[in-house]
Structures are given as structure tokens and as C-alpha cells.
DNA sequence: TGTATAGGTTCGCATTCTAAATCCAGATCA
DNA sequence: TGATCTGGATTTAGAATGCGAACCTATACA
């Protein structure tokens, strides 16, 4: 069990760390649940609302924040015979959160699932065996967690 | 750009999904910042407090929650000439969040960093080239994002 | 003309967060 | 023996954010 050595401070203070910025942006319950739904293809206000069960005011505010931050793109769609409505689609920025949310799903399956089989898992197209979130080097080969070393800039 | 098809609902409702459980547990600003600090080796109440600048009441509550959930282990330490104090050390459960937080750090570097070089990066021990969060198959080979397929149980 | 529908906003109340002061137990020191 | 210090945590009161329900708006259709 690779014990992390005692430190009085993080090597990078929270206010210059991009992790802290990311946490400020998406580190709350409703925002994360919105992104989860978006990654499964939910795009419309009322669909988000009925899936999450969150107050419409909160949903409206969070969607606006995500659009402003560039994670979601607001575009109009028009069902025939209906008026045009906005639709919230993940941008490249938002899509690239997928490994993180899948990783967190699998972490939840492993540690919070109470021994139940996970309700959803992920495979490589055309294969039946599961995939998992991990670290890879430039050549795409896995790097084990105990092989990871932080490097400070400068 | 692999556009995700429209869905009215997620395939797994949030209340049976372990991602939602994970979000309930660690999906808030202070908890995530605590875990970040813990992964860098911070262990003591006042060290967390001075690093995060969060209200002591919040810190106290969050630490308790994380201990109850088994992400942190509370053990005593004793500096010579001082009385014994509790220390909050990551358990295996907590440690296994590392790939997720590093992944989120790199996501922030890529999309929120405003063109600056990231203040911290990660390499494989004994190597100089950077590693990144990704998906791998059972043999540890990278699976590209567009090759990922969700599979429902049952 | 009226009604239905999707996407919001407005409103009043409840919960949670925040900051500062306080408490507490045990070493150390006079 | 008592006074003091110190790290860990609780109390309290005000601010921010959350919540749910009702309401508003623009188009399509009957």
C-alpha cells in the first residue's frame, strides 16, 4: 500500500491549480448529474428536469453556467409542427470529461456498490471484455498507479 | 466528433447508478479540495484548514463524513512533547480516487488553463514523458474514446 | 378564439454555508 | 499547584444558496 508521505501543504496552492478551477466549475452535485445525463444523450430542458428531479431554477442556472463555460453548446432544434426549442449539446470540452465520469462510475461500482453487479459497464466496440479508466504513457501503454510521479514546472 | 445520440432518459436512473452515489459522497467543492490535498500528503486538521481556507465547521463535518464513508482513516499521531492528535490518512478507497483527480487536473489544464503551461504534470517513474488518463482493455492497451460502448446488465 | 406545450422566470420559505468567537483537553511552564 | 499554550472541534448568528410551486411566454393546432 503506497503510503503518501506527510506534507503540510500541497505542492501547488489551490488557487493556481487547474484542478481547483475545474472543481469550481463542475464540482457540485447538480452540475455533475447534468453532465452525466448529457453524456448519455439527454439534451432538453424538461428531459434533464424529469431525470434529475431538481428545481427548474437550479437547472436553468446550471445550464447557463455550463454554456458560458463552453462545456455545453446551445442550439435550436425543431420538431416538425412544433416551434423551435433550444437543445444543450456537449462540446468537445464537455465530451472530454467522459473518462472522468466513467472512472468515477467504476469507482462507485467498486466501493459503493455493496457487492451488487454494476448496472452499467463499458466495453471496447466489437469486444466483450470490460475496459477501465487508467493511465497510459505516450505510446498508449498502461502505467500502474504506483509508477506515477508528480513533476512541478519551473 | 462522435456526437452522442439524443436520449430522453439515461439508461440507468440516477438513484440506482453508483455514479450518483459517488457524486452524493464526494461531489462538492470542499470535499473534492480535501481529497486533493490528502492525495498530496496533507493529513492534519490545521494543515487542511490553512491550505483550503474553508470554515472549520465545514472542514470538521466533511472529514467526519469521509471517515464514516471509509475514504479517510483517522489515526493518532504524536509529536514528542505534544499530546496525541488525530491524523486523516487516505484508505485504499480514497487512494483509488487518484486517477480521477489527476484526470480532472489534466482536463483543467487542457481546457481551463488559458494557454499557460500546467503547474504540475505527471510522469512514469524513471521516465520524462508525460502520462495521461485514458481507457485500457484487459491487457492494458489504450481504447480510444469513440471505441467505448456502454453495456447494460441483465 | 382558445388550449396545449416546452422552456423558462418569479416568489417565499427552508436549508446550508460562512466567519468569528468560544470551548476543550492535555502538555508545558512558573 | 495553577496558568498558559495549542491543535482540534463546536456554537451562533447572518448571508447565500437551495427548494417547490405557481406563473409567464411564444408558437402550433383545433
Amino acid at each position: 500500500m503506497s503510503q503518501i508521505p506527510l506534507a503540510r501543504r500541497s505542492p501547488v496552492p489551490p488557487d493556481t491549480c487547474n484542478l481547483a478551477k475545474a472543481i469550481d466549475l463542475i464540482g457540485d452535485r447538480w452540475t455533475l448529474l447534468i453532465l452525466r445525463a448529457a453524456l448519455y444523450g439527454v439534451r432538453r430542458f424538461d428531459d434533464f428536469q424529469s431525470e434529475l428531479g431538481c428545481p427548474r431554477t437550479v437547472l436553468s442556472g446550471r445550464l447557463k453556467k455550463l454554456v458560458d463555460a463552453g462545456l455545453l453548446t446551445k442550439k435550436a432544434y425543431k420538431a416538425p409542427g412544433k416551434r423551435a426549442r433550444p437543445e444543450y449539446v456537449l462540446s468537445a470540452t464537455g465530451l472530454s470529461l467522459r473518462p472522468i465520469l466513467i472512472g468515477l462510475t467504476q469507482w462507485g461500482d467498486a466501493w459503493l456498490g455493496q457487492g451488487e453487479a454494476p448496472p452499467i459497464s463499458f466495453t471496447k466496440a466489437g469486444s466483450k471484455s470490460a475496459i477501465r479508466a487508467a493511465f497510459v504513457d505516450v505510446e498508449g501503454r498502461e502505467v500502474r498507479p504506483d509508477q506515477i510521479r508528480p513533476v512541478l514546472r519551473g
Side-chain angles (χ1 to χ4, degrees), chain A:
Chain A
M1 196 60 58
S2 77
Q3 172 87 327
I4 292 173
L6 172 66
R8 313 300 305 272
R9 280 278 184 175
S10 304
V12 179
D15 52 312
T16 62
C17 177
N18 288 319
L19 174 55
K21 284 185 202 170
I23 288 172
D24 274 348
L25 181 58
I26 66 167
D28 78 281
R29 180 174 147 74
W30 292 125
T31 301
L32 286 167
L33 289 172
I34 288 169
L35 290 170
R36 168 187 183 275
L39 285 167
Y40 285 124
V42 176
R43 293 185 200 165
R44 300 176 187 179
F45 191 94
D46 274 18
D47 291 342
F48 282 113
Q49 208 276 320
S50 67
E51 162 131 351
L52 306 190
C54 82
R56 302 168 78 76
T57 74
V58 172
L59 179 57
S60 159
R62 294 294 198 282
L63 289 174
K64 202 166 292 175
K65 189 176 168 189
L66 289 173
V67 169
D68 288 349
L71 303 213
L72 293 178
T73 309
K74 190 174 180 174
K75 47 179 73 163
Y77 75 93
K78 188 163 179 340
K82 299 288 176 70
R83 63 188 262 234
R85 298 282 179 189
E87 199 175 44
Y88 300 90
V89 183
L90 285 167
S91 66
T93 309
L95 276 171
S96 64
L97 279 172
R98 212 154 87 130
I100 289 152
L101 288 183
I102 294 182
L104 196 52
T105 303
Q106 295 184 334
W107 180 85
D109 289 339
W111 300 102
L112 310 176
Q114 291 151 342
E116 308 246 338
I120 192 167
S121 58
F122 301 88
T123 64
K124 179 175 179 175
S127 159
K128 283 210 160 35
S129 62
I131 61 172
R132 64 201 151 77
F135 284 92
V136 296
D137 60 23
V138 274
E139 276 115 33
R141 280 186 303 254
E142 182 175 8
V143 176
R144 292 199 326 274
D146 58 311
Q147 293 283 300
I148 298 171
R149 298 286 177 272
V151 180
L152 289 177
R153 178 173 58 101

